[in-house]
Amino acid sequence: MKSTAELQEKSVTKIDTKWRFIYWRSAILYLLPSIILFSVFLFYPLGKTLYLSFFLTDQQGNANVFVGLENYQYILQAESFHKSIKATILFVLYTVPTGVIISLFLALLANEKIKGVGIFRTIYSSTMGISVAASAVVWLFIFHPSMGILNQLITSIGGTSIDWLLHPNWALVSVSVTTIWMNIGFSFLIILGGLQNIDDHLYESARISGASYFYQLRRITIPMLSPTLFFVITVSLINAFQTFGQVDILTQGGPSESTNLIVYSIYREAFVNYQFGTASAQSIFLFICILIVTILQFKFGERKVHYQ
Amino acid sequence: MKILRPTITYLLLIMTAVIVFFPVVYAFLISFMSGAELLQGKFIPESFHLENYQKAFERLPLAHYLWNSFFVSTVVMLGQLIVSALAAYAFVFIPFKGRNIVFFIFISTMMIPWEATMIPNFLTIQQLDWINNYQSLTIPFFAIAFGTFLLRQHFLTIPKELKEASDIAGLRSFKFFWKVVIPYCRTSFVTLGAYGFLTTWNMYLWPLLVTNNDQVRTVQIGLKQLQTQEMASEWGVVMAGVIIVIIPTLILLFLGQKQLQKGLAQGALK
């Protein structure tokens, strides 16, 4: 008796390991394309960036001289990198809160159940279909010193025209305005989706008890919407850190490096000055910044978020 | 009170819509203006003639750029759909050991900013001799964690019974995928497809790095070229270029807006 039980157990484990092997093999087949692509174009280059950040390189990007942490010391002391960090932080502060608030406002408007609201939804989301290059070119003209509509409006009411893109204090604001406009479409669509997921019964019972619009907004809409807002804020933050196209077309990082955001700074260091070592050190810096932001967001943001 | 609230809502809707849509309308109007009209500071063009559009196509091989963008975006879209669907299928329907760990690694790739890897990627592309090549604009973007995630979330909602029934009926994995998974999760496929197409069409930094002649250059880089060439004199031509570039994606967005909104919201929340 004992031996048959043992035998059975053995065959069961044998079948088990056989299935386990089959599952493994097919899983790997399905995952192989992703794994290869991630390895070649994501993990390997991330490691290579870290590697290059410890070296001086030649113009072809070959690592020549090992310099340890000198590239990091260099960028952390360089005035232009300080300016770049300052500009990036200011840019995040200018664009993220304003962008999210405007999109929330538009989504609340477009969530009202009235006739013809579909057209407005389409218009608000339209900026998502407009590329960075196209948006930046249009805004470049809006900010044009003499022919642009902004200065024409200002001078027509008797003001003095503003050097939107040529004055160090205004340039970053102008790039931020362009960016906020560009991002409205995406944030709006996501927030509207979140609003439509909120259960209608919640509002019905609030209405019966005579709660005002703003009371409902504060007590029902915002809490129920918090996961969506949390997502939109995270995405906007990461996008802000990755800004490149607007800067390239509107200001090329100027005037006096006031709009030299971090990705633009990396681009110039690597592909204009051919300093791949210091550019890699800046890239690692960017990676760590985004990592910290994401982790902090999940740690502290998650607690305040109300899930259904 | 009952009339007041819709009135206020409509007023706000119209005002904000005018502001949000203004840059597009502005670009559209300017695309019909001559240099002289612009200098006079006009807002409405005298006539709607297509001269600027004709010039835009003459100055640059815009039609070729448009084709490049269209081709690259379509290929990336298909590549992303296939690669993501394969991975998502494994994560949902194959109970292999270590599934959660592998999935976690996949998701954590979303935290790596693409820009942090662009220098070595550029060097790789150079070594492969892929500069000015369609491969460099498409293949690196096929694997996308967001796509795998989005599809996985939707695949999970497929009832277990369907999979069991198809196993009993002896359907091969591929047939099950084709006959059950794709029809069941159509919204997510459409969302991911539209998302992939839009983001690739709008890509700027990477094409700027890996193209340096007309051969495979995309329309976004063409726009930058047009802007640097024509800026001093002919803004009308530049704006004609802008309108040409944004029309395909705007149409796509208008057609797929509802799907995109539903799909993206699902992906964001689950």
Side-chain angles (χ1 to χ4, degrees):
Chain A
M1 276 305 277
K2 204 181 162 191
S3 64
T4 35
E6 234 168 43
L7 254 174
Q8 241 172 10
E9 213 169 76
K10 234 181 204 169
S11 68
V12 165
T13 48
K14 212 175 180 183
I15 290 168
D16 227 42
T17 41
K18 194 188 149 207
W19 271 106
R20 219 178 273 167
F21 175 72
I22 290 173
Y23 283 144
W24 248 105
R25 202 185 50 187
S26 48
I28 285 196
L29 273 177
Y30 282 100
L31 293 175
L32 204 59
S34 299
I35 291 172
I36 292 175
L37 287 164
F38 278 142
S39 309
V40 177
F41 295 111
L42 205 68
F43 295 128
Y44 159 73
L46 189 64
K48 183 84 183 281
T49 305
L50 187 65
Y51 174 80
L52 285 176
S53 73
F54 298 125
F55 284 88
L56 283 179
T57 58
D58 62 14
Q59 292 229 341
Q60 277 76 46
N62 298 313
N64 271 349
V65 187
F66 179 77
V67 292
L69 291 173
E70 262 173 50
N71 284 332
Y72 290 93
Q73 281 168 352
Y74 169 76
I75 61 163
L76 288 176
Q77 281 163 6
E79 202 201 337
S80 79
F81 191 64
H82 289 176
K83 272 191 176 169
S84 171
I85 297 294
K86 196 184 137 207
T88 310
I89 292 171
L90 273 177
F91 179 75
V92 166
L93 293 177
Y94 287 166
T95 55
V96 177
T98 332
V100 173
I101 289 168
I102 292 175
S103 311
L104 174 64
F105 176 69
L106 294 179
L108 285 171
L109 275 179
N111 197 36
E112 292 286 312
K113 287 175 189 66
I114 49 178
K115 241 186 180 173
V117 81
I119 302 165
F120 295 102
R121 287 181 186 167
T122 309
I123 287 178
Y124 296 150
S125 57
S126 67
T127 70
M128 195 186 160
I130 299 170
S131 67
V132 185
S135 314
V137 169
V138 175
W139 281 91
L140 185 64
F141 189 73
I142 293 177
F143 291 129
H144 192 281
S146 57
M147 293 187 285
I149 187 93
L150 278 179
N151 276 349
Q152 280 193 4
L153 279 178
I154 291 174
T155 46
S156 73
I157 54 167
T160 46
S161 53
I162 295 172
D163 282 334
W164 295 102
L165 296 168
L166 301 172
H167 193 285
N169 292 343
W170 280 109
L172 193 63
V173 175
S174 309
V175 176
S176 302
V177 170
T178 310
T179 309
I180 292 169
W181 181 77
M182 281 167 40
N183 292 342
I184 281 177
F186 178 78
S187 308
F188 164 79
L189 264 189
I190 301 280
I191 297 176
L192 183 64
L195 283 175
Q196 290 177 339
N197 273 343
I198 299 175
D199 201 340
D200 264 336
H201 296 296
L202 290 171
Y203 292 110
E204 261 163 45
S205 42
R207 234 172 277 138
I208 289 164
S209 57
S212 73
Y213 177 79
F214 288 101
Y215 186 84
Q216 289 179 34
L217 183 68
R218 215 160 36 115
R219 286 302 167 94
I220 303 172
T221 312
I222 300 293
M224 297 309 276
L225 199 62
S226 54
T228 315
L229 289 176
F230 174 66
F231 174 78
V232 170
I233 292 170
T234 313
V235 173
S236 312
L237 258 174
I238 293 176
N239 273 344
F241 274 113
Q242 294 174 307
T243 302
F244 175 82
Q246 306 91 299
V247 178
D248 189 45
I249 287 177
L250 288 173
T251 61
Q252 279 94 47
S256 64
E257 300 188 21
S258 61
T259 57
N260 192 16
L261 301 183
I262 183 154
V263 172
Y264 197 75
S265 163
I266 296 171
Y267 165 79
R268 270 225 300 231
E269 196 74 359
F271 300 106
V272 180
N273 302 333
Y274 297 107
Q275 298 293 327
F276 291 103
T278 43
S280 297
Q282 292 190 18
S283 303
I284 294 296
F285 192 86
L286 170 73
F287 170 59
I288 292 171
C289 284
I290 291 188
L291 201 66
I292 291 173
V293 166
T294 343
I295 292 170
L296 281 183
Q297 281 256 303
F298 272 87
K299 233 177 168 163
F300 296 105
E302 198 116 87
R303 264 189 241 152
K304 290 184 190 131
V305 168
H306 179 282
Y307 287 100
Q308 226 164 345
Chain B
M1 193 58 198
K2 260 186 187 157
I3 314 166
L4 196 62
R5 190 165 159 197
T7 320
I8 293 175
T9 314
Y10 273 121
L11 267 176
L12 286 174
L13 277 169
I14 292 168
M15 266 165 49
T16 47
V18 167
I19 296 171
V20 170
F21 211 52
F22 174 77
V24 179
V25 177
Y26 193 47
F28 183 73
L29 292 173
I30 290 171
S31 75
F32 296 105
M33 287 191 206
S34 66
E37 278 176 88
L38 268 174
L39 281 174
Q40 288 160 17
K42 283 199 172 144
F43 184 62
I44 308 284
E46 268 159 20
S47 68
F48 286 87
H49 54 84
L50 292 173
E51 207 179 303
N52 286 333
Y53 287 84
Q54 207 183 338
K55 275 188 196 161
F57 276 103
E58 278 166 14
R59 301 283 152 85
L60 285 177
L62 258 187
H64 183 62
Y65 291 169
L66 277 169
W67 161 252
N68 285 340
S69 278
F70 179 76
F71 179 74
V72 167
S73 308
T74 311
V75 172
V76 170
M77 175 184 83
L78 293 176
Q80 283 183 351
L81 285 173
I82 294 167
V83 173
S84 308
L86 283 172
Y89 187 88
F91 285 129
V92 175
F93 295 110
I94 304 174
F96 65 98
K97 222 183 156 195
R99 184 156 68 162
N100 290 334
I101 299 167
V102 180
F103 184 65
F104 178 77
I105 295 171
F106 262 63
I107 292 306
S108 61
T109 62
M110 282 203 259
M111 275 195 278
I112 303 175
W114 173 83
E115 288 78 4
T117 61
M118 92 185 152
I119 295 169
N121 273 335
F122 175 76
L123 299 173
T124 309
I125 295 297
Q126 226 173 14
Q127 262 158 19
L128 289 169
D129 207 12
W130 279 4
I131 302 281
N132 291 322
N133 224 324
Y134 284 124
Q135 286 97 304
S136 62
L137 292 172
T138 50
I139 293 173
F141 302 98
F142 281 0
I144 169 178
F146 167 72
T148 310
F149 181 68
L150 190 79
L151 293 181
R152 173 188 174 263
Q153 299 309 95
H154 207 159
F155 288 4
L156 283 173
T157 63
I158 297 174
K160 279 243 154 57
E161 293 77 22
L162 276 176
K163 173 72 176 151
E164 278 159 16
S166 76
D167 280 345
I168 291 165
L171 279 187
R172 304 282 309 247
S173 295
F174 179 74
K175 223 167 180 190
F176 170 68
F177 185 77
W178 197 249
K179 297 263 159 156
V180 180
V181 177
I182 289 187
Y184 197 89
C185 301
R186 214 172 38 215
T187 3
S188 295
F189 281 101
V190 174
T191 307
L192 180 59
Y195 178 84
F197 191 92
L198 274 178
T199 44
T200 315
W201 181 274
N202 294 341
M203 210 182 278
Y204 182 79
L205 176 50
W206 185 245
L208 192 67
L209 291 179
V210 298
T211 63
N212 50 36
N213 62 28
D214 293 346
Q215 213 179 339
V216 299
R217 184 169 282 163
T218 61
V219 82
Q220 308 299 337
I221 311 304
L223 205 53
K224 182 191 156 87
Q225 254 183 306
L226 196 62
Q227 176 251 319
T228 28
Q229 271 175 27
E230 309 288 324
M231 198 167 88
S233 50
E234 301 199 68
W235 271 97
V237 179
V238 180
M239 290 306 174
V242 167
I243 297 296
I244 294 165
V245 172
I246 64 177
I247 278 178
T249 39
L250 277 185
I251 291 175
L252 183 72
L253 193 77
F254 291 160
L255 291 178
Q257 181 220 333
K258 267 199 186 132
Q259 290 259 7
L260 204 61
Q261 176 203 332
K262 246 195 253 161
L264 285 178
Q266 261 173 2
L269 294 181
K270 278 186 185 150

